[in-house]
Short mmCIF file of all heavy atoms in Angstrom, two decimals:
data_model
loop_
_atom_site.label_atom_id
_atom_site.label_comp_id
_atom_site.label_asym_id
_atom_site.label_seq_id
_atom_site.Cartn_x
_atom_site.Cartn_y
_atom_site.Cartn_z
N GLY A 93 -8.53 76.20 284.48
CA GLY A 93 -9.43 77.10 283.79
C GLY A 93 -10.86 76.69 284.10
O GLY A 93 -11.07 75.78 284.91
N CYS A 94 -11.83 77.32 283.47
CA CYS A 94 -13.23 77.04 283.79
C CYS A 94 -13.95 76.45 282.58
O CYS A 94 -13.88 76.98 281.47
CB CYS A 94 -13.93 78.32 284.24
SG CYS A 94 -15.63 78.06 284.82
N VAL A 95 -14.66 75.34 282.81
CA VAL A 95 -15.50 74.71 281.80
C VAL A 95 -16.92 74.59 282.36
O VAL A 95 -17.17 74.83 283.54
CB VAL A 95 -14.98 73.31 281.40
CG1 VAL A 95 -13.58 73.41 280.80
CG2 VAL A 95 -14.98 72.36 282.60
N GLY A 96 -17.86 74.21 281.50
CA GLY A 96 -19.21 73.94 281.96
C GLY A 96 -19.36 72.50 282.41
O GLY A 96 -18.53 71.64 282.10
N LYS A 97 -20.41 72.25 283.14
CA LYS A 97 -20.73 70.87 283.52
C LYS A 97 -21.54 70.26 282.38
O LYS A 97 -22.77 70.10 282.46
CB LYS A 97 -21.53 70.85 284.82
CG LYS A 97 -20.69 71.16 286.05
CD LYS A 97 -21.49 70.94 287.33
CE LYS A 97 -20.61 71.11 288.56
NZ LYS A 97 -21.36 70.89 289.82
N ASP A 98 -20.83 69.91 281.29
CA ASP A 98 -21.50 69.42 280.10
C ASP A 98 -20.59 68.45 279.36
O ASP A 98 -19.46 68.19 279.78
CB ASP A 98 -21.94 70.56 279.19
CG ASP A 98 -20.81 71.52 278.84
OD1 ASP A 98 -19.63 71.11 278.86
OD2 ASP A 98 -21.09 72.70 278.55
N GLN A 99 -21.09 67.93 278.24
CA GLN A 99 -20.36 66.93 277.47
C GLN A 99 -19.06 67.49 276.92
O GLN A 99 -18.02 66.80 276.92
CB GLN A 99 -21.23 66.41 276.33
CG GLN A 99 -20.59 65.29 275.51
CD GLN A 99 -21.51 64.80 274.40
OE1 GLN A 99 -22.56 65.40 274.15
NE2 GLN A 99 -21.11 63.74 273.74
N PHE A 100 -19.07 68.74 276.44
CA PHE A 100 -17.86 69.33 275.89
C PHE A 100 -16.80 69.48 276.98
O PHE A 100 -15.61 69.26 276.74
CB PHE A 100 -18.16 70.69 275.26
CG PHE A 100 -18.83 70.61 273.91
CD1 PHE A 100 -19.41 71.73 273.35
CD2 PHE A 100 -18.90 69.41 273.22
CE1 PHE A 100 -20.03 71.67 272.10
CE2 PHE A 100 -19.52 69.33 271.98
CZ PHE A 100 -20.09 70.46 271.42
N GLY A 101 -17.22 69.88 278.18
CA GLY A 101 -16.28 69.99 279.29
C GLY A 101 -15.66 68.65 279.64
O GLY A 101 -14.46 68.55 279.92
N ASP A 102 -16.50 67.60 279.61
CA ASP A 102 -16.00 66.25 279.89
C ASP A 102 -14.98 65.83 278.83
O ASP A 102 -13.95 65.20 279.14
CB ASP A 102 -17.14 65.25 279.93
CG ASP A 102 -18.07 65.46 281.13
OD1 ASP A 102 -17.63 66.12 282.10
OD2 ASP A 102 -19.21 64.97 281.08
N LYS A 103 -15.26 66.17 277.56
CA LYS A 103 -14.34 65.81 276.48
C LYS A 103 -12.99 66.52 276.64
O LYS A 103 -11.94 65.92 276.42
CB LYS A 103 -14.95 66.17 275.12
CG LYS A 103 -16.06 65.23 274.67
CD LYS A 103 -16.53 65.59 273.27
CE LYS A 103 -17.58 64.60 272.79
NZ LYS A 103 -18.05 64.93 271.42
N LEU A 104 -13.03 67.79 277.03
CA LEU A 104 -11.79 68.53 277.25
C LEU A 104 -10.97 67.89 278.36
O LEU A 104 -9.75 67.72 278.23
CB LEU A 104 -12.10 69.98 277.59
CG LEU A 104 -12.57 70.88 276.44
CD1 LEU A 104 -12.90 72.27 276.97
CD2 LEU A 104 -11.51 70.99 275.36
N GLU A 105 -11.64 67.54 279.44
CA GLU A 105 -10.92 66.95 280.57
C GLU A 105 -10.33 65.58 280.20
O GLU A 105 -9.18 65.27 280.56
CB GLU A 105 -11.85 66.81 281.77
CG GLU A 105 -11.15 66.30 283.02
CD GLU A 105 -12.00 66.42 284.27
OE1 GLU A 105 -13.21 66.73 284.15
OE2 GLU A 105 -11.47 66.19 285.38
N GLN A 106 -11.10 64.79 279.48
CA GLN A 106 -10.61 63.47 279.07
C GLN A 106 -9.40 63.61 278.16
O GLN A 106 -8.42 62.86 278.29
CB GLN A 106 -11.73 62.70 278.36
CG GLN A 106 -12.86 62.27 279.28
CD GLN A 106 -14.09 61.79 278.52
OE1 GLN A 106 -14.07 61.68 277.28
NE2 GLN A 106 -15.17 61.52 279.24
N ALA A 107 -9.45 64.59 277.23
CA ALA A 107 -8.32 64.78 276.32
C ALA A 107 -7.07 65.22 277.06
O ALA A 107 -5.97 64.71 276.82
CB ALA A 107 -8.69 65.81 275.25
N ALA A 108 -7.23 66.15 277.99
CA ALA A 108 -6.07 66.64 278.73
C ALA A 108 -5.48 65.55 279.61
O ALA A 108 -4.25 65.33 279.61
CB ALA A 108 -6.47 67.84 279.59
N ARG A 109 -6.32 64.85 280.34
CA ARG A 109 -5.82 63.79 281.22
C ARG A 109 -5.27 62.62 280.41
O ARG A 109 -4.32 61.97 280.84
CB ARG A 109 -6.92 63.33 282.17
CG ARG A 109 -7.24 64.38 283.25
CD ARG A 109 -8.18 63.85 284.32
NE ARG A 109 -8.32 64.82 285.39
CZ ARG A 109 -7.50 64.91 286.44
NH1 ARG A 109 -6.48 64.08 286.55
NH2 ARG A 109 -7.71 65.81 287.37
N GLY A 110 -5.86 62.37 279.25
CA GLY A 110 -5.32 61.33 278.38
C GLY A 110 -3.92 61.63 277.90
O GLY A 110 -3.14 60.73 277.62
N ASP A 111 -3.59 62.93 277.81
CA ASP A 111 -2.24 63.35 277.43
C ASP A 111 -1.29 63.42 278.62
O ASP A 111 -0.11 63.75 278.44
CB ASP A 111 -2.29 64.73 276.77
CG ASP A 111 -2.90 64.68 275.38
OD1 ASP A 111 -2.88 63.59 274.77
OD2 ASP A 111 -3.38 65.72 274.89
N GLY A 112 -1.81 63.13 279.82
CA GLY A 112 -0.96 63.17 281.01
C GLY A 112 -0.99 64.48 281.76
O GLY A 112 -0.26 64.65 282.74
N VAL A 113 -1.81 65.43 281.31
CA VAL A 113 -1.93 66.73 281.99
C VAL A 113 -2.89 66.60 283.16
O VAL A 113 -3.96 65.99 283.04
CB VAL A 113 -2.44 67.81 281.02
CG1 VAL A 113 -2.63 69.15 281.75
CG2 VAL A 113 -1.48 67.98 279.85
N ASN A 114 -2.54 67.18 284.29
CA ASN A 114 -3.44 67.22 285.43
C ASN A 114 -4.42 68.37 285.22
O ASN A 114 -4.11 69.52 285.50
CB ASN A 114 -2.66 67.41 286.73
CG ASN A 114 -3.53 67.19 287.96
OD1 ASN A 114 -4.75 67.19 287.88
ND2 ASN A 114 -2.89 67.01 289.10
N ALA A 115 -5.59 68.07 284.68
CA ALA A 115 -6.61 69.09 284.42
C ALA A 115 -7.39 69.35 285.69
O ALA A 115 -8.08 68.48 286.20
CB ALA A 115 -7.55 68.61 283.31
N ALA A 116 -7.27 70.57 286.20
CA ALA A 116 -7.92 70.93 287.46
C ALA A 116 -8.91 72.05 287.17
O ALA A 116 -8.71 73.21 287.54
CB ALA A 116 -6.88 71.36 288.49
N TYR A 117 -10.00 71.71 286.50
CA TYR A 117 -10.95 72.71 286.05
C TYR A 117 -11.88 73.17 287.17
O TYR A 117 -12.31 72.38 288.01
CB TYR A 117 -11.85 72.14 284.94
CG TYR A 117 -11.15 71.77 283.67
CD1 TYR A 117 -11.50 70.60 283.00
CD2 TYR A 117 -10.19 72.58 283.08
CE1 TYR A 117 -10.90 70.24 281.81
CE2 TYR A 117 -9.58 72.24 281.90
CZ TYR A 117 -9.94 71.07 281.26
OH TYR A 117 -9.33 70.72 280.09
N MET A 118 -12.22 74.44 287.14
CA MET A 118 -13.42 74.93 287.81
C MET A 118 -14.59 74.60 286.89
O MET A 118 -14.51 74.82 285.68
CB MET A 118 -13.32 76.45 288.03
CG MET A 118 -14.58 77.08 288.57
SD MET A 118 -14.42 78.89 288.73
CE MET A 118 -16.15 79.31 288.99
N LYS A 119 -15.68 74.05 287.44
CA LYS A 119 -16.80 73.63 286.60
C LYS A 119 -18.04 74.45 286.94
O LYS A 119 -18.56 74.37 288.05
CB LYS A 119 -17.06 72.12 286.78
CG LYS A 119 -15.87 71.28 286.34
CD LYS A 119 -16.13 69.80 286.45
CE LYS A 119 -14.92 69.00 285.97
NZ LYS A 119 -15.13 67.54 286.04
N HIS A 120 -18.47 75.24 285.96
CA HIS A 120 -19.60 76.14 286.18
C HIS A 120 -20.91 75.39 285.96
O HIS A 120 -21.08 74.73 284.93
CB HIS A 120 -19.51 77.34 285.23
CG HIS A 120 -20.32 78.51 285.69
ND1 HIS A 120 -21.67 78.62 285.45
CD2 HIS A 120 -19.98 79.62 286.39
CE1 HIS A 120 -22.13 79.73 285.97
NE2 HIS A 120 -21.12 80.37 286.55
N PRO A 121 -21.84 75.47 286.90
CA PRO A 121 -23.06 74.66 286.80
C PRO A 121 -24.06 75.14 285.76
O PRO A 121 -24.94 74.37 285.36
CB PRO A 121 -23.66 74.78 288.21
CG PRO A 121 -23.16 76.09 288.72
CD PRO A 121 -21.78 76.25 288.15
N GLU A 122 -23.95 76.39 285.28
CA GLU A 122 -24.97 76.93 284.41
C GLU A 122 -24.46 77.33 283.02
O GLU A 122 -25.20 77.25 282.04
CB GLU A 122 -25.62 78.16 285.07
CG GLU A 122 -26.29 77.85 286.40
CD GLU A 122 -26.74 79.10 287.12
OE1 GLU A 122 -26.48 80.21 286.61
OE2 GLU A 122 -27.35 78.97 288.20
N THR A 123 -23.21 77.76 282.93
CA THR A 123 -22.69 78.28 281.67
C THR A 123 -21.99 77.18 280.88
O THR A 123 -21.20 76.44 281.43
CB THR A 123 -21.70 79.43 281.94
OG1 THR A 123 -22.31 80.37 282.82
CG2 THR A 123 -21.31 80.14 280.65
N PRO A 124 -22.29 77.05 279.57
CA PRO A 124 -21.69 75.96 278.79
C PRO A 124 -20.21 76.17 278.53
O PRO A 124 -19.70 77.30 278.58
CB PRO A 124 -22.47 75.99 277.47
CG PRO A 124 -22.97 77.40 277.37
CD PRO A 124 -23.25 77.84 278.77
N THR A 125 -19.52 75.09 278.23
CA THR A 125 -18.10 75.12 277.89
C THR A 125 -17.86 76.00 276.67
O THR A 125 -18.64 75.98 275.71
CB THR A 125 -17.60 73.69 277.63
OG1 THR A 125 -17.74 72.93 278.82
CG2 THR A 125 -16.15 73.67 277.19
N GLY A 126 -16.79 76.78 276.69
CA GLY A 126 -16.48 77.71 275.61
C GLY A 126 -16.06 77.00 274.34
O GLY A 126 -15.57 75.86 274.35
N THR A 127 -16.25 77.69 273.22
CA THR A 127 -15.87 77.16 271.91
C THR A 127 -15.06 78.21 271.15
O THR A 127 -15.11 79.40 271.46
CB THR A 127 -17.11 76.79 271.07
OG1 THR A 127 -18.00 77.91 271.03
CG2 THR A 127 -17.84 75.60 271.67
N CYS A 128 -14.32 77.76 270.16
CA CYS A 128 -13.53 78.67 269.34
C CYS A 128 -13.59 78.22 267.89
O CYS A 128 -13.22 77.08 267.57
CB CYS A 128 -12.07 78.71 269.81
SG CYS A 128 -11.04 79.86 268.87
N ALA A 129 -14.08 79.09 267.01
CA ALA A 129 -14.07 78.80 265.59
C ALA A 129 -12.66 79.02 265.05
O ALA A 129 -12.07 80.08 265.27
CB ALA A 129 -15.06 79.68 264.85
#
Side-chain angles (χ1 to χ4, degrees):
C94 186
V95 299
K97 286 188 174 181
D98 53 26
Q99 184 179 8
F100 283 167
D102 292 341
K103 285 184 177 180
L104 286 177
E105 185 169 9
Q106 291 167 6
R109 288 189 173 273
D111 288 337
V113 177
N114 190 344
Y117 296 138
M118 173 183 167
K119 298 183 179 181
H120 200 277
E122 300 172 357
T123 310
T125 297
T127 53
C128 182

